[in-house]
Amino acid sequence: CLSDRNSLRQSRNPQKYFAMDVEDEENMSSSSTDVKENCNLDGAPPKDGSAPGPGEGALLSNGGSGGTSRKRALDEGSNGHAKFRLKKRRRAPGPALPKNALMQLNEIKPGLQYTLLSQTGPVHAPLFLMSVEVNGQVFEGSGPTKKKAKLHAAEKALRSFVQFPNASEAHLAMGRSLSTNADFTSDQADFPDALFNGFETPDRSEVPFYLGSNGDDSFSSSGDLSLAASPVPAGLAQPPLPGPPPFPPPSGKNPVMILNELRPGLKYDFLSESGESHAKNFVMSVVVDGQFFEGSGRNKKLAKARAAQSALATIFNLHLDQTPSRQPIPSEGLQLHLPQVLADAVARLVLDKFGDLTDSFASPHARRKVLAGIVMTTGTDVKDAKVISISTGTKCINGEYMSDRGLALNDCHAEIIARRSLLRFLYTQLELYLNSKDDQKRSIFEKSERGGFKLKENVQFHLYISTSPCGDARIFSPHEPILEEPADRHPNRKARGQLRTKIESGEGTIPVRSNASVQTWDGVLQGERLLTMSCSDKMARWNVVGIQGSLLSIFVEPIYFSSIILGSLYHGDHLSRAMYQRISNIEDLPPLYTLNKPLLSGNNAEARQPGKAPNFSVNWTVGDSAIEVINATTGKDELGRASRLCKHALYCRWMRVHGKVPSNLLRSKITKPNVYHESKLVAKEYQAAKACLFRAFIKAGLGAWVEKPTEQDQFSLTP
């Protein structure tokens, strides 16, 4: 009887078997007697030839006399043969899947912290006690695992919210309909039924699809499930990609499914496709309640989900992903845009512009490992955003090619070059203001009541980098999240926050030596490795002294990035530490200087770029007719000519502007500028802010800033 039934199941649906979860087996175990009694019932197919529906037939033992022996055979694998494995049943279409108490509580109160109070019992049968504090009240739960203890604590907390002893009574009291004007963030008990489907834990086989993390960006299931198991729309159906499972959002469903429950029958439109073959970018759109929403991603499915996510956030105030490390970290300054909408728009603009500049990525100079760009917005509509600069590169100059006349680029990492390109734009805008009254209206600058110039209101700059900046922001394991505990148990350990230097002519960084000596010109020429501070450290510096640099600060007030957006390897905790948290102890900054805390966000549009990095770097600033290609080893172009971004070129631009600015508009008085280094020292407030930064790093025990040999800046423009 047993073998007949197994062969019948194999012939009915070949290769559709799965190993059961231990908990499922415990709940569904039956003795061999039960199997024999039901053998005839299950052995014959229904008269209509269809597969048994839920509840029909009985479960199958794996040979042996009881549930234990069946479990043993399946667990060990070598003895549990495939033909004995239970068939996964096709789920009939029905109501939304239930969510467990943890999911529901996280929707109502995102970001709650669970604490382990105790662990008792023998090693083979531990008992964990977990607690969670909600609205000032502590709820405890116990269980054989931390997860189950957390679940029981969450159930108690939820019951205190709704004042009903069980989920079914809460359902009856709250009704079954979903209000279109539901407040998804309310602390009250009037949240809709769609967000409250019982405290019961969903079956492992029913785990729906969710958004990937750490650059994976696919919708993947948390188990090896067939697509028939999840109610995923046909347009989203795709086998799960390999890789470690990411964190699920609290809702347990992807954005398209949730939006479809709230507004059935929506139509998604494909708008565009762009990008390199390894970094494609698709744009999808959807209209909800008369509002237009766009989303972009590495595939159409992700773009569709991003559009749905944008609609859910705007119309329903529903934010799906509450995993802290993947959340945007808001800016403390003026915030004009929705974080994810802004991140997607900035990333798309930069990638599209790079495609335009490289013949749709066909140019040999489109080859790159890291792409960076700066986008300017002048209001609340991201459609008015403008790409200011584009750059690529991952290498630094070889020490023997240093220039004592400011003619070589020392650091050709993409984000550093993007910022140097921005300086050219700022000089152009200052000259525009100084041209005529009409041009003043077109310039991004205006006169400041404190002297000098400042950016006009609502002008913001956003930095996009295709991956996390080298140095402290990239020192973490992207695929090793700790599910039960915070993502990083040791955020302040010695390896965290350290100042790091780039390797000459290579990639990667090393911590600064505790006994780091001053770099000397003759020492480097004799073979001592030239040290350049990491991009993470330079960006932290920009968040204190500004992105305008010392020379421009003689004319303009400090300028800071409003947001920093990464295309991959985004981790909020590590990026925020690298950008500003590690120097939060900074003191005595001069007026107008501050510790800037920009919006930090991840777009995750980029795939990892394996292989050797090209030895060149490209740069472009708005107004340029074409890209400039620089050999990163020499810091000059292939013909040995100086870059338009080198110190000498930018000092020429500064001298030109200085000749036009009336002396009463200078923020720092300088009579007869000559030597580059001396001109920089005139910006006394800037130099004071820089000194505060260096002291903050030392005070935090993170090392001393390593500066280049001073001879590099001892040049003048006069022959």
Side-chain angles (χ1 to χ4, degrees), residues 114 130 146-147 150 482-486 489:
Y114 291 81
M130 302 287 291
K146 289 182 184 177
K147 188 175 178 181
K150 283 169 71 173
I482 300 167
L483 296 176
E484 291 290 336
E485 306 294 340
R489 294 186 186 188

Side-chain angles (χ1 to χ4, degrees), residues 50-197:
S50 63
E56 294 176 357
L59 296 171
L60 193 58
S61 166
N62 224 8
S65 60
T68 307
S69 62
R70 179 177 73 257
K71 240 191 310 186
R72 174 77 58 188
L74 280 170
D75 286 349
E76 289 176 355
S78 57
N79 297 325
H81 301 292
K83 67 179 183 178
F84 287 21
R85 294 189 178 181
L86 290 169
K87 182 179 71 174
K88 182 172 183 185
R89 298 195 174 167
R90 194 177 290 271
R91 173 164 294 276
L97 296 172
K99 301 172 200 161
N100 68 26
L102 278 172
M103 290 177 173
Q104 295 175 38
L105 185 59
N106 201 34
E107 284 175 354
I108 304 162
K109 286 282 187 184
L112 291 175
Q113 296 294 316
Y114 291 81
T115 307
L116 176 63
L117 297 180
S118 68
Q119 177 181 342
T120 56
V123 176
H124 64 278
L127 184 68
F128 296 93
L129 185 64
M130 302 287 291
S131 72
V132 62
E133 185 176 333
V134 184
N135 293 339
Q137 190 174 352
V138 177
F139 300 92
E140 294 180 2
S142 61
T145 65
K146 289 182 184 177
K147 188 175 178 181
K148 286 190 175 179
K150 283 169 71 173
L151 192 66
H152 292 149
E155 284 182 6
K156 288 181 181 178
L158 276 174
R159 288 191 178 115
S160 78
F161 277 15
V162 296
Q163 301 299 310
F164 292 102
N166 57 54
S168 57
E169 289 186 30
H171 277 294
L172 291 171
M174 287 185 289
R176 309 292 298 183
S177 62
L178 172 61
S179 167
T180 55
N181 298 317
D183 179 5
F184 288 83
T185 60
S186 173
D187 288 347
Q188 306 305 316
D190 59 350
F191 38 86
D193 181 63
L195 295 182
F196 196 99
N197 286 329

Side-chain angles (χ1 to χ4, degrees), residues 2-11 15-18 60-62 74 77 79-87:
L2 187 60
S3 59
D4 290 346
R5 197 167 86 197
N6 281 332
S7 60
L8 181 59
R9 289 200 173 188
Q10 282 182 346
S11 63
Q15 298 176 341
K16 284 238 177 171
Y17 298 92
F18 73 111
L60 193 58
S61 166
N62 224 8
L74 280 170
N79 297 325
H81 301 292
K83 67 179 183 178
F84 287 21
R85 294 189 178 181
L86 290 169
K87 182 179 71 174

Side-chain angles (χ1 to χ4, degrees), residues 667-678:
R667 297 184 70 247
S668 301
K669 304 304 177 202
I670 180 168
T671 49
K672 216 173 172 191
N674 187 13
V675 178
Y676 177 76
H677 177 69
E678 291 172 2

Side-chain angles (χ1 to χ4, degrees), residues 353-370:
K353 175 56 72 174
F354 186 55
D356 294 344
L357 293 169
T358 54
D359 300 323
S360 298
F361 311 103
S363 161
H365 297 120
R367 196 163 62 89
R368 52 90 181 177
K369 256 202 168 182
V370 180

Side-chain angles (χ1 to χ4, degrees), residues 6-47:
N6 281 332
S7 60
L8 181 59
R9 289 200 173 188
Q10 282 182 346
S11 63
R12 243 190 241 158
N13 211 345
Q15 298 176 341
K16 284 238 177 171
Y17 298 92
F18 73 111
M20 292 183 65
D21 187 282
V22 173
E23 286 183 31
D24 293 337
E25 295 176 52
E26 288 171 351
N27 296 336
M28 303 166 77
S29 61
S30 61
S31 68
S32 56
T33 311
D34 297 330
V35 173
K36 287 174 184 173
E37 287 174 0
N38 290 297
C39 186
N40 292 333
L41 290 172
D42 195 52
K47 289 180 182 178

Side-chain angles (χ1 to χ4, degrees), residues 494-512:
K494 192 156 179 63
R496 305 294 189 205
Q498 291 288 303
L499 288 174
R500 303 174 74 91
T501 59
K502 298 167 185 174
I503 297 173
E504 182 183 303
S505 299
E507 294 182 79
T509 60
I510 53 175
V512 295

